[in-house]
Each structure stands twice: as structure tokens, then as C-alpha cells.
């Protein structure tokens, strides 16, 4: 019984440490992006760096776990939008939701645009979300609501610009993001289309990178 009790305590301690690490990483990534040193995350969690690496051997595994819920929510938003009979509303809802998530968490865009070849479930969900967004774009164009020259690069530009909104509070960031996105959605509408320069070579795939190995 004492040995069994000790094993239960060790398992409970391990779960507690894992939860603390994930919470600390979530807060650090949200505030500062993905370049936070691993040692800083360990200090915030109140554990040693060795403990962090026992739970998450690579930065990739930590980042993928931290943002798994957000990516699931993103993929679900796209899935729900595909069921909407109004193509423009579906397209707009995904843009608004994605940018709101981004404004609330500075690490989200970097995580979304980061390659996680070992995290197959993460990659599958992102690929599903991308395919769904491409279909929403096609439908909105076919309905005559989305300007015909909208390109996936325009989504990348939107995310990069929205990610650059830095304010003194989360409330101000959310408000600024909503107004900025509203401006952009008006520009995306077909009835407001005017000549534009050609889209830049900015596909989501071209922005994928491996997580920083900063410690």
C-alpha cells in the first residue's frame, strides 16, 4: 500500500507539473509570442528546465500542445461556416473569428503558421481548416460577394497586419482588431473592387517554419 500510494502521488505530481508548464507557456506565448526562452517558461511554471523537458522533449511538442485547443476551435469554426447557406456570411464569420483569436493571443498566428511534422493531429486539423477556407472563398466568389481577385495571400497579409496591433490592454487590442477587420472585409467585397497590384508570393505554406529552439 505505501508503494502504491507513492506511485499515485508521483503521477499526481507529474500531472500537476504538466498543467503548470502548459499554463505558463500559454500565458507567455500569448503575451510575447513563441520566442519566449524555455528557461523563462520553466521559471514561470515554478519547475526546473529538466522537468519541462521530461514532459515536453522539444519546443515543437510544447507549442503544439499549448495551441491544440485553439486550432481545434479554428477548424470547427471553418466546419460550421461550410454549413452556412450564406457564402459571404460564412466567409466573414471565419475571418472575424480567426482575427479575434489572434488579437487575444499573440502566439496564435505564429503557431498556426508553424510546421509541426511530428504532431500529425495538429497538421491534419490545420490542413482541414485550410481546405475549408479555400472552399469558402470559392463559394463567396461564385455568389458574387467576394472580389474575384481575392487571393490566399490576402489572408496572410490580413493575419500579419492584425498581429501587429499592439495596445496597452487586451480590451483595446480586441477593439482595434475588430475595427481593422471590418475595414478589410469592406475592401474584400466585390461591389467595392478596384484595380490592385498583383498578390505577393505569400502562401500559408511559404510561411511555415520550425519552432524556435531558444532556451
Amino acid at each position: 500500500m505505501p508503494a502504491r500510494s507513492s506511485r499515485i502521488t508521483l503521477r499526481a505530481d507529474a500531472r500537476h507539473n504538466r498543467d503548470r508548464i502548459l499554463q505558463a507557456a500559454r500565458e507567455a506565448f500569448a503575451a510575447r509570442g513563441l520566442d519566449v526562452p524555455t528557461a523563462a517558461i520553466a521559471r514561470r511554471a515554478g519547475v526546473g528546465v529538466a522537468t519541462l523537458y521530461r514532459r515536453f522533449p522539444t519546443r515543437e511538442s510544447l507549442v503544439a500542445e499549448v495551441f491544440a485547443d485553439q486550432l481545434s476551435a479554428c477548424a470547427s469554426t471553418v466546419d460550421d461556416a461550410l454549413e452556412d447557406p450564406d457564402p459571404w456570411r460564412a466567409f466573414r464569420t471565419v475571418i472575424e473569428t480567426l482575427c479575434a483569436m489572434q488579437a487575444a493571443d499573440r502566439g496564435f498566428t505564429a503557431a498556426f503558421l508553424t510546421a509541426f511534422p511530428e504532431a500529425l493531429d495538429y497538421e491534419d486539423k490545420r490542413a482541414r481548416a485550410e481546405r475549408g477556407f479555400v472552399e469558402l472563398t470559392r463559394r463567396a466568389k461564385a455568389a458574387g460577394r467576394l472580389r474575384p481577385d481575392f487571393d490566399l495571400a490576402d489572408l496572410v497579409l490580413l493575419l500579419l497586419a492584425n498581429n501587429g496591433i499592439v495596445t496597452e490592454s487586451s480590451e483595446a487590442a480586441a477593439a482595434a482588431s475588430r475595427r481593422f477587420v471590418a475595414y478589410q472585409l469592406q475592401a474584400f467585397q466585390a461591389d467595392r473592387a478596384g484595380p490592385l497590384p498583383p498578390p505577393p508570393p505569400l502562401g500559408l505554406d511559404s510561411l511555415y517554419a520550425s519552432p524556435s529552439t531558444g532556451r
Side-chain angles (χ1 to χ4, degrees), residues 2 9 17 28 36 38 44 50-51 59 71 74 87 94 110-111 116-117 125 128 152-153 163 169 185 195 197:
T9 299
N17 284 339
V36 182
T38 302
R44 181 189 281 258
T51 297
R59 175 175 284 261
L71 184 61
C74 178
V94 170
F116 297 105
K125 288 179 180 177
R128 190 179 89 219
L152 186 60
N163 196 53
S169 69
L185 285 170

Side-chain angles (χ1 to χ4, degrees), residues 117-165:
E118 297 178 8
L120 298 181
D121 185 57
Y122 193 100
E123 292 293 317
D124 287 346
K125 288 179 180 177
R126 181 169 57 193
R128 190 179 89 219
E130 288 180 28
R131 290 193 300 270
F133 184 79
V134 169
E135 174 60 15
L136 291 172
T137 298
R138 186 196 67 78
R139 293 179 187 180
K141 287 182 179 181
R145 298 298 308 277
L146 178 63
R147 57 186 304 148
D149 59 352
F150 179 87
D151 189 89
L152 186 60
D154 295 317
L155 173 63
V156 176
L157 287 173
L158 175 64
L159 292 175
L160 291 174
N162 192 60
N163 196 53
I165 296 175

Side-chain angles (χ1 to χ4, degrees), residues 63-157:
V63 173
E65 183 69 19
V66 166
F67 290 99
D69 288 345
Q70 287 96 320
L71 184 61
S72 293
C74 178
S76 295
T77 297
V78 174
D79 290 342
D80 291 343
L82 289 169
E83 300 298 321
D84 191 331
D86 184 324
W88 175 251
R89 182 174 61 201
F91 175 86
R92 186 189 69 220
T93 296
V94 170
I95 293 290
E96 290 173 342
T97 302
L98 185 60
C99 287
M101 292 172 64
Q102 182 186 42
D105 190 332
R106 291 183 59 80
F108 176 71
T109 302
F112 188 80
L113 298 176
T114 297
F116 297 105
E118 297 178 8
L120 298 181
D121 185 57
Y122 193 100
E123 292 293 317
D124 287 346
K125 288 179 180 177
R126 181 169 57 193
R128 190 179 89 219
E130 288 180 28
R131 290 193 300 270
F133 184 79
V134 169
E135 174 60 15
L136 291 172
T137 298
R138 186 196 67 78
R139 293 179 187 180
K141 287 182 179 181
R145 298 298 308 277
L146 178 63
R147 57 186 304 148
D149 59 352
F150 179 87
D151 189 89
L152 186 60
D154 295 317
L155 173 63
V156 176
L157 287 173

Side-chain angles (χ1 to χ4, degrees), residues 185-196:
L185 285 170
Q186 288 188 25
F188 291 160
Q189 293 184 55
D191 61 0
R192 298 172 184 269
L196 289 174

Side-chain angles (χ1 to χ4, degrees), residues 20-39:
R20 287 166 63 186
I21 291 168
L22 287 174
Q23 182 60 31
R26 191 171 293 116
E27 293 171 355
F29 292 153
R32 298 170 53 188
L34 299 189
D35 292 332
V36 182
T38 302

Side-chain angles (χ1 to χ4, degrees), residues 3 16 19 24-25 43 53 57 62 73 103 107 115 160 172 178 187 189 193 196-197 209:
H16 182 58
D19 291 344
R43 285 195 300 272
Y53 278 111
L62 176 60
L160 291 174
R178 284 194 298 270
Q189 293 184 55
L196 289 174

